[in-house]
């Protein structure tokens, strides 16, 4: 009986482990896609904030707080480049309450 159970375990173990690896790869792919989508949405919003408030030459404090939080999340997700320059420009704007 023990021999039978051992042979089943020996046969089933690679199949189970293969399935677990397949599941983990799919989850990683989904996470990567979600992160990229989130980063793109943040970039769109950051550009909109930048364009709006640079044109006004000032920014409300609540909008600046939102902009900074969005930028930090965007940066944590791997975003960089032109948005970093926009971030610096927004930080130089006059802050109004």
């Amino acid at each position: 009986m023990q021999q039978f159970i051992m042979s089943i375990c020996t046969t089933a173990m690679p199949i189970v482990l293969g399935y677990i690896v397949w599941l983990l790869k799919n989850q990683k792919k989904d996470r990567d896609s979600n992160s990229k989508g989130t980063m793109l949405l943040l970039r769109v919003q950051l550009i909109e904030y930048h364009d709006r408030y640079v044109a006004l030459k000032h920014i409300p404090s609540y909008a600046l707080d939102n902009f900074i939080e969005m930028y930090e999340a965007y940066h944590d997700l791997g975003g960089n480049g032109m948005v970093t320059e926009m971030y610096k420009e927004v930080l130089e704007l006059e802050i109004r309450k």
Side-chain angles (χ1 to χ4, degrees), residues 13-29 31:
M13 191 63 69
I15 295 169
V16 171
L17 290 175
Y19 180 69
I20 291 170
V21 168
W22 179 81
L23 283 175
L24 291 173
K25 283 183 180 179
N26 280 342
Q27 285 179 346
K28 182 181 180 335
K29 183 179 172 185
R31 265 194 322 273

Side-chain angles (χ1 to χ4, degrees), residues 13-72:
M13 191 63 69
I15 295 169
V16 171
L17 290 175
Y19 180 69
I20 291 170
V21 168
W22 179 81
L23 283 175
L24 291 173
K25 283 183 180 179
N26 280 342
Q27 285 179 346
K28 182 181 180 335
K29 183 179 172 185
D30 290 345
R31 265 194 322 273
D32 290 348
S33 295
N34 286 335
S35 293
K36 182 162 180 130
T38 300
M39 186 174 71
L40 294 172
L41 291 171
L42 284 167
R43 182 169 59 198
V44 167
Q45 190 65 48
L46 288 164
I47 292 169
E48 287 180 8
Y49 266 56
H50 170 269
D51 292 350
R52 178 184 317 142
Y53 294 114
V54 166
L56 291 173
K57 299 186 187 326
H58 66 273
I59 187 168
S61 59
Y62 70 87
L64 180 61
D65 289 342
N66 288 342
F67 187 86
I68 291 170
E69 286 185 36
M70 285 189 296
Y71 175 78
E72 289 171 352

